[in-house]
Amino acid sequence: MNPEALHNISYGLYVICSKNGQSINGQIANAVIQVTSQPPTIAASINKQNLTHEYIKKSNCFTVSILSEKTPMSFIGNFGFKSGRDINKFKDVNYKPGKNQVPIVLDNTLACVEVKVIDRIDVGSHTIFIGEVEDAVILSKDKPLTYEYYHQIKGGFSPKTAPTYSSIVDKEIKKEEKKMSRYGCKVCGYVYDPEKGDPDNGVAPGTKFEDLSNDWVCPVCGAGKEDFEKE
């Protein structure tokens, strides 16, 4: 089987939030789809290991913030590669409580949707939460961030808890990177590509890894240069 065939299925990139009493959490997700129009119904696939999964099960509600193509990697890293068990992901993030007091992330958001869970499906490592849309608002007319753009343009990788993660594809990608002498972050998997630079942090295309300032850090997880290795 060639798992790369599944990469032809189109995905977006979203922040899914939920709550547990007064506690809140959010995570990056890509497996979110609309499944019916009358009533409008959303399905989201969430890994059982994630704190957000626990919160959705307890509260039976969640929000979806649809991200813009302009979303910086540091923002994606905050919600996608760090755990709400260890940090407050909402520090320095603009958000507001929705109808169910679940946070709606406003930064880098094109539109947001509030969802009440009406069913769930156990699919092994993940649960598919199916919910009826209670409210939806458009915030921006920017282009949505697709998973393809995240991978191909921003140089991002899937965390191991993502439904689209494949160790086989990961290895093949890294073999290709080795030929191009890029540098990979040992913490989160982000790859610094000299041809692309790091536009989010003012690093111009064509800048060699060796020429990056010593205080430059991974735009996804914040790891230092010492945590990168040549692929």
Side-chain angles (χ1 to χ4, degrees):
M1 183 183 78
N2 186 351
E4 290 191 50
L6 299 176
H7 284 195
N8 290 296
I9 299 174
S10 179
Y11 299 92
L13 220 59
Y14 316 91
V15 178
I16 305 292
C17 296
S18 193
K19 67 171 185 175
N20 179 16
Q22 298 300 311
S23 299
I24 58 175
N25 195 58
Q27 67 162 78
I28 293 290
N30 69 328
V32 177
I33 60 170
Q34 181 177 348
V35 291
T36 66
S37 58
Q38 293 297 329
T41 307
I42 295 288
S45 180
I46 305 295
N47 192 286
K48 293 176 181 177
Q49 298 178 27
N50 293 351
L51 185 61
T52 304
H53 181 279
E54 176 186 326
Y55 284 13
I56 296 176
K57 281 188 68 176
K58 290 183 177 180
S59 67
N60 281 317
C61 51
F62 63 93
T63 62
V64 180
S65 293
I66 304 168
L67 296 181
S68 160
E69 201 174 78
K70 299 176 182 177
T71 303
M73 291 294 282
S74 56
F75 182 89
I76 297 171
N78 178 56
F79 281 101
F81 288 90
K82 298 177 182 179
S83 173
R85 297 182 177 93
D86 303 322
I87 67 166
N88 174 13
K89 294 187 180 184
F90 294 90
K91 182 182 179 182
D92 301 322
V93 173
N94 291 314
Y95 69 94
K96 68 176 183 179
K99 290 184 175 181
N100 298 308
Q101 300 306 303
V102 175
I104 298 171
V105 173
L106 302 176
D107 289 339
N108 308 300
T109 297
L110 301 181
C112 50
V113 181
E114 297 187 61
V115 184
K116 189 72 174 177
V117 175
I118 57 175
D119 201 357
R120 65 181 72 164
I121 303 172
D122 189 320
V123 288
S125 62
H126 289 64
T127 298
I128 298 176
F129 292 101
I130 302 171
E132 187 170 329
V133 175
E134 295 191 314
D135 197 14
V137 179
I138 296 174
L139 301 178
S140 170
K141 296 294 185 179
D142 289 339
K143 288 185 178 180
L145 175 58
T146 65
Y147 214 46
E148 180 182 20
Y149 189 92
Y150 168 67
H151 277 290
Q152 300 297 327
I153 306 301
K154 289 183 173 287
F157 281 83
S158 305
K160 292 185 177 181
T161 55
T164 52
Y165 175 79
S166 169
S167 60
I168 297 174
V169 173
D170 234 10
K171 289 176 182 177
E172 291 303 313
I173 291 173
K174 289 187 177 183
K175 283 181 183 177
E176 183 63 24
E177 288 163 358
K178 188 174 181 180
K179 298 176 184 176
M180 293 189 267
S181 298
R182 301 177 183 178
Y183 284 76
C185 178
K186 293 183 287 185
V187 178
C188 71
Y190 167 81
V191 174
Y192 176 77
D193 182 352
E195 294 183 6
K196 298 175 182 176
D198 179 12
D200 289 343
N201 293 297
V203 178
T207 304
K208 295 180 180 179
F209 182 81
E210 294 83 353
D211 294 336
L212 294 173
S213 63
N214 290 331
D215 60 357
W216 180 86
V217 297
C218 175
V220 174
C221 69
K225 286 182 69 177
E226 66 276 6
D227 291 314
F228 277 72
E229 61 184 359
K230 190 175 181 179
E231 297 286 354

